[in-house]
């Protein structure tokens, strides 16, 4: 089946630093999604990308949909302590339904004050 | 607007028992999906329901089953529990298939421990 590979697996950064993480797949995805999971919570959608080459921002977050539709990256600028959590990329694999998502294994972000 | 509500939040069972987990979607959301989250396998899709019909099913054994009621609430059941079923079970809701544009709203999960 389709798999998403995220890197790095974990990151330890200082507050104020910029962060970059990416996600690759051997298969084409028509939609790329980035979710964040805080401890004890369910994942929350950060950014959704629908077109190859699309660059989308949400506050300090910026994500791009790779032109080959097989990769995506997420950047976080000027990190703050509340950015701590697990970041997942995901893509729909249930046909026309978005209820079935395949998730990457996640990038664990730790921010030191 | 209330979020996705999952009950119970925590439960402990022993091998061989069965468990039923409940999910109440956001009001107006008609699609419900279930995911299993473990440290080793990550987030894995279990089922998706819409209008009381299962639309998609993940690669899990038949011990895992689910259903959706006419009010869009959903339950999942795991029979003959195994140690490897210990996990966080997440429910997510969306308006309807194909309309949510990828935005699933997740609950806080039900953490199952099998002893």
């Amino acid at each position: 089946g389709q798999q998403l590979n995220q890197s790095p697996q974990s990151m330890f950064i200082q507050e104020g630093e910029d962060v970059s993480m990416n996600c690759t797949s051997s298969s084409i995805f028509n939609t790329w999604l980035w979710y964040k999971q805080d401890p004890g919570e369910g994942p929350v959608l950060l950014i959704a990308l629908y077109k190859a080459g699309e660059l989308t921002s949400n506050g300090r977050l910026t994500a791009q949909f790779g032109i080959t539709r097989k990769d995506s990256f997420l950047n976080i600028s000027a990190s703050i302590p509340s950015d701590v959590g697990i970041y997942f990329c995901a893509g729909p694999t249930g046909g026309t339904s978005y209820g079935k998502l395949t998730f990457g294994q996640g990038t664990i972000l730790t921010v030191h004050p | 607007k209330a979020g996705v509500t999952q009950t119970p939040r925590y439960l402990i069972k022993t091998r061989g028992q069965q468990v039923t987990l409940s999910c109440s979607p956001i009001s107006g959301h008609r699609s419900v999906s279930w995911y299993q989250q473990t440290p080793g396998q990550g987030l894995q899709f279990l089922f998706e329901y819409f209008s009381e019909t299962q639309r998609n099913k993940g690669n899990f054994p038949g011990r895992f089953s689910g259903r959706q009621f006419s009010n869009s609430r959903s339950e999942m059941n795991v029979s003959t529990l195994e140690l490897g079923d210990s996990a966080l079970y997440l429910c997510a809701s969306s308006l309807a298939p194909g309309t949510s544009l990828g935005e699933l709203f997740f609950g806080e999960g039900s953490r199952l421990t099998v002893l």
Side-chain angles (χ1 to χ4, degrees), chain B residues 4-9 11 19-25 32-34 65 67 69 71-77 89-92 107-110:
Chain B
V4 176
T5 304
Q6 292 189 244
T7 56
R9 288 291 313 277
L11 65 166
V19 66
T20 298
L21 308 177
S22 179
C23 173
S24 293
V32 172
S33 299
W34 288 89
S65 63
R67 59 178 175 170
F69 302 96
N71 61 359
S72 296
R73 193 177 68 84
S74 177
E75 288 182 347
M76 66 163 284
N77 183 275
Y89 290 89
L90 291 160
C91 170
E108 294 178 314
S110 292

Side-chain angles (χ1 to χ4, degrees), chain B residues 48-69:
Chain B
E48 180 191 10
Y49 288 91
F50 175 70
S51 292
E52 302 176 66
T53 301
Q54 188 180 87
R55 286 180 53 89
N56 280 298
K57 187 178 189 303
N59 188 25
F60 280 82
R63 300 184 297 106
F64 291 80
S65 63
R67 59 178 175 170
Q68 186 181 34
F69 302 96

Side-chain angles (χ1 to χ4, degrees), chain B residues 8-15 17-19 21 81 86 110-115:
Chain B
R9 288 291 313 277
Y10 303 91
L11 65 166
I12 299 174
K13 294 284 187 178
T14 57
R15 280 181 297 176
Q17 287 187 312
Q18 73 165 11
V19 66
L21 308 177
L81 285 166
S86 294
S110 292
R111 183 165 296 282
L112 170 66
T113 301
V114 181
L115 302 176

